[in-house]
Amino acid sequence: MSLEARIERLEALEEIRQLPAKYALALDMRDMDAMVGLFCADVRVGKDASGREALRAYMDQTLRSPFTGTSHHIGGHIIELDDANHAHGIVYSKNEHETPVEGGADEWVIMQMMYVDDYERQDGQWFFRRRLPLYWYATDLNKPPVGDNKMRWPGTDWAEGNFHKLFPSFAEFWDREGAPQGPVPEPAPIGDFINRMRRGNAAPKVKVRAD
């Protein structure tokens, strides 16, 4: 790889790495224009709409309920470049939500999740093409989410999250007794770590919240 190609790769990685942090700040400050400006101009919104204006309308409505304030804390971020204009990645996010409860005291809901992202470069700038949120738990700060159905939003039925469903290794770990048998596979090539872990596993169906 030439020096110029290496520099272009580092610049792409750094620009992409900024996207989740910018998203978190824009979302928490409720700056809808800044947030939707992080997505491709033709971003898909639901089944029948596309574009930044459609995304802005959807997010503006969604962020008014069920919480009044949020804080998103960005964790580890893996980025893999597919070609000069496309990439994918996974980023952890630990979130806090001030959540009004009808007829009772407000709750402080904490959440652990990851985003499965697709990125695209348009007109020389990197954007989100798609964000798929995978949730592990959501619960009031004073109520640890031990046990099944860890998604525990106030006023809703408890539900199972999808935090581990993209990667088959979690279920395989608990299905077997003892360590895997046979030789350890060769390390994943650079740029293929996520694909290696997924092993062709399809993305789960997700009921998206505004996180």
Side-chain angles (χ1 to χ4, degrees):
M1 184 183 294
S2 68
L3 178 59
E4 182 179 3
R6 288 176 179 269
I7 292 174
E8 290 179 353
R9 179 178 181 274
L10 290 174
E11 288 179 342
L13 291 173
E14 180 56 29
E15 188 175 345
I16 293 170
R17 201 178 309 280
Q18 291 286 322
L19 287 174
K22 291 176 179 178
Y23 175 89
L25 178 62
L27 189 152
D28 292 337
M29 297 302 111
R30 299 300 190 267
D31 190 325
M32 299 294 99
D33 289 335
M35 181 172 60
V36 302
L38 300 172
F39 289 80
C40 292
D42 57 342
V43 59
R44 184 175 178 182
V45 184
K47 295 181 179 179
D48 303 317
S50 63
R52 290 174 180 147
E53 290 186 5
L55 180 61
R56 182 178 60 187
Y58 169 78
M59 292 299 293
D60 189 273
Q61 178 183 9
T62 304
L63 287 168
R64 296 181 186 279
S65 176
F67 29 77
T68 56
T70 57
S71 178
H72 289 66
H73 307 264
I74 304 303
H77 191 183
I78 302 171
I79 305 166
E80 296 179 348
L81 300 175
D82 301 319
D83 55 42
N85 295 309
H86 299 88
H88 59 274
I90 288 180
V91 56
Y92 272 40
S93 185
K94 186 69 171 288
N95 313 327
E96 302 189 18
H97 313 75
E98 185 174 16
T99 307
V101 179
E102 186 175 355
D106 292 357
E107 294 195 12
W108 197 270
V109 176
I110 56 174
M111 172 189 284
Q112 178 63 58
M113 62 175 296
M114 71 173 78
Y115 292 99
V116 182
D117 289 337
D118 291 321
Y119 313 105
E120 184 173 322
R121 185 163 67 171
Q122 295 183 343
D123 298 325
Q125 183 173 346
W126 284 97
F127 298 97
F128 292 115
R129 163 53 65 189
R130 180 181 185 231
R131 305 210 82 187
L132 177 68
L134 301 182
Y135 307 108
W136 186 18
Y137 65 78
T139 187
D140 181 78
L141 179 66
N142 298 307
K143 302 173 183 177
V146 177
D148 297 331
N149 297 325
K150 298 180 184 296
M151 294 298 295
R152 304 174 184 178
W153 285 96
T156 65
D157 294 333
W158 291 5
E160 182 184 7
N162 43 41
F163 190 73
H164 304 98
K165 292 184 178 179
L166 191 67
F167 305 102
S169 55
F170 188 81
E172 292 171 358
F173 179 89
W174 294 109
D175 286 343
R176 70 169 185 264
E177 295 183 3
Q181 300 300 309
V184 175
E186 289 295 318
I190 293 175
D192 199 44
F193 185 82
I194 296 172
N195 289 333
R196 175 76 68 85
M197 286 192 64
R198 288 184 64 167
R199 301 205 295 275
N201 207 33
K205 297 292 184 180
V206 176
K207 183 178 181 181
V208 178
R209 304 191 69 90
D211 288 295

